[in-house]
Amino acid sequence: MAESEADVAVIGGGPAGLHAALVLARGGLSVVLLDESDTLGGQYYKRRTDQLTAAFGDFRPRGTELIHRVRAAGVVVRTGTLVWGAEDAGRTLFTSDVRTGALGRITTRATLAATGAYERSLPFPGWTLPGVVTPGFALHLATMDRVPVGQRVVLAGTGPFLLPVACALLEVGARIEALVELNHPYRPSTSAIGGALRQPARLAEAARYLLTLARHGVGVEQGARVLAAHGDTQVTAVDIGQEDGGVRQLETDALCVGFGFRPSTELPRLLGCDTRADPTGTEQLPVVDADGATSVDGLYVAGDCAGIAGVHAAGVRGQLAAHAILRRLAPERAPVRLSGLRRRARALDRFAELADRLYPLPTTADIPDATQVCRCEGVSAGEIREAAATGWNDLHGTKAATRAGMGPCQGRECGHIVAALTGRNESWAECFAARMPIRPLPMAATVEGQDVP
Amino acid sequence: MSPNSLPETVTVTIDGTPGEAWAGQSVTAVLVAAGIWPLRRNPVNGQLRGPFCGMGVCLECEVTINGRPGSRSCTAHVAEGMDIRTHTEPLPTAAHG
């Protein structure tokens, strides 16, 4: 097993991890930056491959520039490396090389988890059909690969993310058959507008997207939702439930449905840090101070895995966490004035709270019993409800009784729904326990000395 | 930045049929562009499944790439001569019993 040491390990090469690594390295600490992907950038600063950049240009030049600065500052960058376990308050990290499966162990003096988020999916009849995808998948195909997810596309769910996805689809020549938003965010109340006006850049961004959509004749249908997807070997039609109770059916090649994002908190939870329910009441977030310090001494979290707040907040939170780690490990260095960063962090957090109010989640109570919830193990909502109703099954008992959450994705897609369907206590979000390995790795990799094909 | 030129193309084989893709595209993009959505069958209930999350989380997009089964097509990039195999054939009866 390959052993290495660093003052600080930063897990996740997205906006939070990149900004943090830069501050830490410039502060004179040895930093290793780990990411499972083969390039840095995370989901937001994701970059086209060299061949496609040469032809189509750089999709996120600001991310490319940030990555150059991180490398120039002397950060040890290890892409294609997944962290599948940790112990000793995160000072020992277990890694695996994505390509070879080779195991590694990294010893640190402090660790920053900047592991980002997943898209939140909510199950409905037909959501497992090929051609039903997350909006993020459609965005990736359009921006990275220049491929439309379909010639005719239906977009649905809730959240501001649907807008840039729709625009990216138009740019690669797809037709938007419908853009269906569950809530009514685009005629907000006066109080909501007051909050948004304090973030004029974000407001302008949303306005640009809406303008582009309008120019292409795409309207946002508010207060409507996807009820079901139909098809034989792939999706061919979608039922949309309208606000007046009517249902209309649309033919489509692809359906993108998403309900915002969920923090990826396995690593801090594995290390036993204190948690609290997130604003949606469906996730457990690490409890952190203003600098991202958790209850586990030496473990910090930043970016969306500390609570969904977007790219700009991730960058600011990454810097604040890095400064806190510097104060801890190199206190002899002159203190840096952080009041500007802190003010910006608070303003961005308030904006995220506004988004939570504008885009509330639907109830899980009306998911039909026949709907598959756990995609991997094919477990339906009815089976989960039945297991939970036996009187002794809590979330973990339900998992054992039904196998929900036990498949290859390890509950990453369905965990929050299984928790909601089994939940007894609405004030506390339960979730599946984080266990090693927290990322899938080849079985052979866990056997010391064994070759992985 | 405006496009300089179209990317170079590579030849890949999907289930034995050769075709062209842009160098550097993800394997899922090449499959979607070819209209190939179902990539495998769910081993529990035999239902057809295709790529869903596009970021390596759901594992619904697994195919065999150059003989290596369980490869996530969303995080793999095509290269000249790549052999891609989907797994949409019916499950053997024993798998149900």
Side-chain angles (χ1 to χ4, degrees), chain A residues 1-2 11 34-37 78-86 93-106 437-447 450 452-453, chain B residues 68 72:
Chain A
M1 182 187 292
I11 304 163
L34 304 159
D35 198 290
E36 186 177 352
S37 307
R78 287 177 53 187
T79 50
T81 304
L82 64 87
V83 174
W84 58 267
L93 299 174
F94 303 112
T95 64
S96 171
D97 185 299
V98 171
R99 285 166 295 270
T100 66
L103 296 183
R105 179 157 47 204
I106 301 174
I438 54 175
R439 298 290 290 141
L441 76 164
M443 184 62 95
T446 63
V447 184
Q450 187 141 352
V452 177
Chain B
R68 186 173 173 156
R72 286 176 226 180

Side-chain angles (χ1 to χ4, degrees), chain A residues 278-303:
Chain A
D278 85 336
T280 69
T282 63
E283 310 282 345
Q284 281 181 39
L285 287 179
V287 175
V288 291
D289 70 8
D291 294 327
T294 68
S295 63
V296 174
D297 193 41
L299 175 69
Y300 297 75
V301 294

Side-chain angles (χ1 to χ4, degrees), chain A residues 77 88 90 111 119 190 193 224 244 275 291 358 363 372 409:
Chain A
V77 173
D88 188 21
T111 288
E119 279 182 88
T190 8
I193 286 175
D244 60 10
T275 58
D291 294 327
L358 285 178
T363 171
Q372 273 186 63
C409 93

